[in-house]
Amino acid sequence: MDLGTARLTADTAGIAKASALLAAGHLVSFPTETVYGLGADARNGTAVAQVFAAKGRPSFNPLIVHLARTEMAQTYVHWSDTAEVLATAFWPGPLTLVLPLKDGHGLSKLVTAGLDTVALRVPAHTTAQDLLTAFDGPVAAPSANLSGRISPTTADHVIAGLSGKIAAVLDDGPCAVGLESTIVGLNKAQPTLLRAGGLPREAIEAALGQPLALSNGDDITAPGQLSSHYAPAGTVRLNASKAQENELFLGFGKMTCDLNLSASGDLTEAAANLFDHLHQLDAKARPIAVAPIPDHGLGQAINDRLRRAAAPR
């Protein structure tokens, strides 16, 4: 029976209700600084299976486990000196670490897609922190959208894609960062960038004092590695100088366009606007052309999302 999807206010009562729903095995979307996540108790295989069903997500694509505090991570994984350096520098924040699982970790095998590693993050968003603290357990939470489609940065985006498929969304306005977390693998000899995201690669390398290795992309070892992802319904054309006939133009910098990621050329502003602007243009049901984005700092993550949005499906 479809009971609809409740929209909860991000206050004490709303957070308590969201926590109770998670504890009862239901799905709750909640805001983080990156995007809205679709949360389930990561220890409850039935609840996690509902995440894959609601999103239409392939079961070989692992999920990120969200935790309230860094020390909780050591319950589930073999911690390392490198993990400690990065967690001290960037947690809470938009960084996900992939680490080897401990025996008896208690997480659902669906969370890890059968791998011997798990992706962990401590988000910085106050409401996410309050919910995770109230729940006091691991919450598996991919982005709260249909698999492969544009990620949600507002509660309205979540409702548009998943209404009736999840129990509730905890509404606390738009996400500040607007891009998913950066994912770093720590299960090999050298720390490896598995997904560019809301924390620039350069900042991570500065903290480590060494360059990150780059993933060869052959295996799905972390979320966000599918070639086609984050996509609107229509086609996307990249590095465009102007729109062609019937296209909508997504600009960057000072130019004439339908929507502008940042008229001042600010990559932080562009990252925060990316998914919301794609949602707005997608609603007009026309092809989208996108202006060139500088490929440094957050621009690397923006270009990663745009390449996947434009990939053949």
Side-chain angles (χ1 to χ4, degrees):
M1 182 172 62
D2 178 10
L3 299 178
T5 297
R7 188 189 292 256
L8 304 176
T9 304
D11 55 15
T12 301
I15 288 165
K17 176 64 174 177
S19 176
L21 287 168
L22 287 173
H26 297 296
L27 305 186
V28 176
S29 175
F30 62 97
T32 76
E33 70 276 26
T34 58
V35 300
Y36 272 71
L38 178 56
D41 184 342
R43 302 160 296 194
N44 183 333
T46 302
V48 175
Q50 292 178 48
V51 171
F52 286 92
K55 285 176 60 69
R57 183 183 179 97
S59 60
F60 59 78
N61 197 3
L63 306 179
I64 295 173
V65 174
H66 292 65
L67 305 168
R69 301 177 303 280
T70 297
E71 53 267 28
M72 293 175 71
Q74 299 175 40
T75 304
Y76 306 106
V77 297
H78 294 285
W79 202 240
S80 66
D81 291 343
T82 304
E84 185 67 26
V85 167
L86 292 179
T88 299
F90 301 116
W91 278 3
L95 174 67
T96 293
L97 301 178
V98 176
L99 288 151
L101 282 161
K102 283 183 174 178
D103 292 337
H105 52 77
L107 299 174
S108 165
K109 288 185 178 180
L110 286 172
V111 169
T112 63
L115 300 172
D116 59 2
T117 57
V118 68
L120 302 175
R121 182 162 93 89
V122 178
H125 195 287
T126 300
T127 296
Q129 278 283 320
D130 289 346
L131 175 61
L132 291 165
T133 299
F135 180 67
D136 196 29
V139 174
S143 55
N145 58 313
L146 295 175
S147 185
R149 297 301 305 278
I150 306 168
S151 296
T153 56
T154 68
D156 286 344
H157 295 160
V158 177
I159 294 291
L162 296 177
S163 181
K165 296 184 176 185
I166 65 176
V169 56
L170 193 56
D171 187 353
D172 196 14
C175 301
V177 175
L179 289 173
E180 293 85 356
S181 60
T182 304
I183 303 180
V184 174
L186 298 180
N187 56 317
K188 296 182 180 178
Q190 184 178 356
T192 302
L193 181 67
L194 299 177
R195 178 179 76 183
L199 181 65
R201 170 184 170 185
E202 295 90 338
I204 300 168
E205 292 178 335
L208 290 174
Q210 68 178 98
L212 290 168
L214 300 180
S215 171
N216 59 21
D218 292 341
D219 299 313
I220 303 298
T221 56
Q225 293 183 302
L226 297 177
S227 58
S228 178
H229 210 36
Y230 316 108
T235 59
V236 177
R237 185 170 63 90
L238 304 182
N239 298 313
S241 57
K242 62 180 180 180
Q244 296 176 350
E245 186 176 357
N246 198 42
E247 285 183 332
L248 297 166
F249 191 32
L250 180 59
F252 177 81
K254 194 172 182 180
M255 60 176 59
T256 301
C257 52
D258 294 282
L259 283 176
N260 200 316
L261 292 171
S262 174
S264 65
D266 184 291
L267 288 170
T268 300
E269 180 184 19
N273 285 332
L274 177 63
F275 288 136
D276 182 64
H277 282 15
L278 285 174
H279 276 287
Q280 290 186 54
L281 295 177
D282 190 35
K284 300 179 185 296
R286 288 164 55 188
I288 301 169
V290 186
I293 308 296
D295 200 38
H296 59 78
L298 287 176
Q300 293 180 340
I302 295 169
N303 282 319
D304 170 81
R305 302 304 187 274
L306 288 170
R307 283 191 295 270
R308 295 177 197 273
R313 303 165 201 171

